[in-house]
Amino acid sequence: NVAGQTKHNFHYNLWEMEKGGAKTRYQWNMDAIRTLKQIESENRLATPEEQKTLSKFVGWGGLSQAFDENNAGWSKEYAELKDLLSDEEYSAARATVNNAFYTSPEIAMCMNSALVQFGFRGGNVLEPSMGIGNFFGSMPETMHEAKLYGVELDSITGRIAKQLYPKADITVAGFETTDRRDFYDLAIGNVPFGQYQVRDKAYDKLNFSIHNYFFAKALDQVRPGGVVAFVTSRYTMDAKDST
């Protein structure tokens, strides 16, 4: 416990989910980051109320305008964001605009419900490339005893995840830095997609694009008989060669 605080993992209520345009989503992100920095400066855990604010962080996928100094309609936001983040946090955040599209809690909830119907009840659960952890926050009661492990590359996003899921074991680093073979009962999530590769000695020779790398590594980390449940696209489903 941090200063006697009890640890509570966050849980989404679908009826409270709001929708918003780009400027609204930008505002949610800023409120979440300010809240995170406040909590960290006071060296404590988020309150349930603060967790609600943090849970609205939607990442920077689809908000590249906020990083464009030549976009007149976003000049105020551009300056504000640059001021709020450290240089390191800023360049890390800017690097996420192409693939930080978080899975909506509605979809995460459906996937979790499907797992319950498959008979999954708990055990060790991995969410690699977790964003702020929408799959964790969408787990039904029956899965609440699961031991949660998450990995997130982006610093701000990973730190928000730690505040939302203080009972989980969350690594803020790339998936390539982790190695737990045959350990998880379930790997769940929405991995990054793109025609680029991640350097990871054990997998380099396979020349996998980033999404297939996540699939391959997750399969190795899940124990025999475990489940990998990832959002994917036709680029995995119809990969045409015999391997």
Side-chain angles (χ1 to χ4, degrees), residues 96-168:
T96 69
V97 295
N98 293 328
N99 61 24
F101 294 95
Y102 299 163
T103 311
S104 73
E106 290 92 334
I107 290 175
M109 227 160 254
C110 290
M111 285 172 65
N112 279 316
S113 301
L115 287 162
V116 171
Q117 289 177 25
F118 295 161
F120 186 83
R121 292 292 175 268
N124 295 330
V125 176
L126 168 70
E127 188 179 354
S129 174
M130 71 184 291
I132 61 166
N134 288 354
F135 285 85
F136 289 170
S138 308
M139 285 182 169
E141 285 291 325
T142 43
M143 286 167 74
H144 283 184
E145 289 311 299
K147 287 194 167 56
L148 304 180
Y149 296 82
V151 183
E152 170 54 41
L153 177 61
D154 179 61
S155 164
I156 290 271
T157 311
R159 281 148 54 199
I160 288 176
K162 279 176 179 271
Q163 291 292 343
L164 288 172
Y165 307 101
K167 293 174 163 177

Side-chain angles (χ1 to χ4, degrees), residues 126 128 151 175 178-185 187 203 216-223:
L126 168 70
V151 183
F175 192 32
T178 67
D179 191 19
R180 286 189 170 100
R181 298 214 158 211
D182 298 335
F183 176 77
Y184 299 105
D185 298 282
Y203 297 88
K217 182 151 181 150
L219 286 165
D220 286 341
Q221 295 204 352
V222 164
R223 64 172 178 72

Side-chain angles (χ1 to χ4, degrees), residues 17 50 53 61 85-86 92 94 115 123 149 164 169 186 191 236 242:
M17 302 294 299
E50 287 169 330
T53 305
L85 298 181
S86 72
R94 194 177 50 205
L115 287 162
Y149 296 82
L164 288 172
D169 177 339
L186 167 68
V191 302
T236 305
S242 58

Side-chain angles (χ1 to χ4, degrees), residues 1 22 27 39 47 51 72 95 97 114 131 157-158 165 171 174 183 210 219 225 230 237:
N1 287 7
Q27 203 45 61
I39 295 162
T47 64
Q51 283 183 324
V97 295
T157 311
Y165 307 101
T171 304
F183 176 77
I210 188 164
L219 286 165
F230 285 167
M237 302 299 276

Side-chain angles (χ1 to χ4, degrees), residues 219-241:
L219 286 165
D220 286 341
Q221 295 204 352
V222 164
R223 64 172 178 72
V227 179
V228 174
F230 285 167
V231 174
T232 187
S233 72
R234 63 193 183 87
Y235 295 113
T236 305
M237 302 299 276
D238 69 358
K240 289 191 183 58
D241 82 57

Side-chain angles (χ1 to χ4, degrees), residues 6-19:
T6 325
K7 293 182 172 180
H8 290 292
N9 281 354
F10 176 77
H11 199 265
Y12 283 101
N13 290 326
L14 282 193
W15 57 89
E16 288 180 355
M17 302 294 299
E18 297 173 52
K19 300 271 182 274

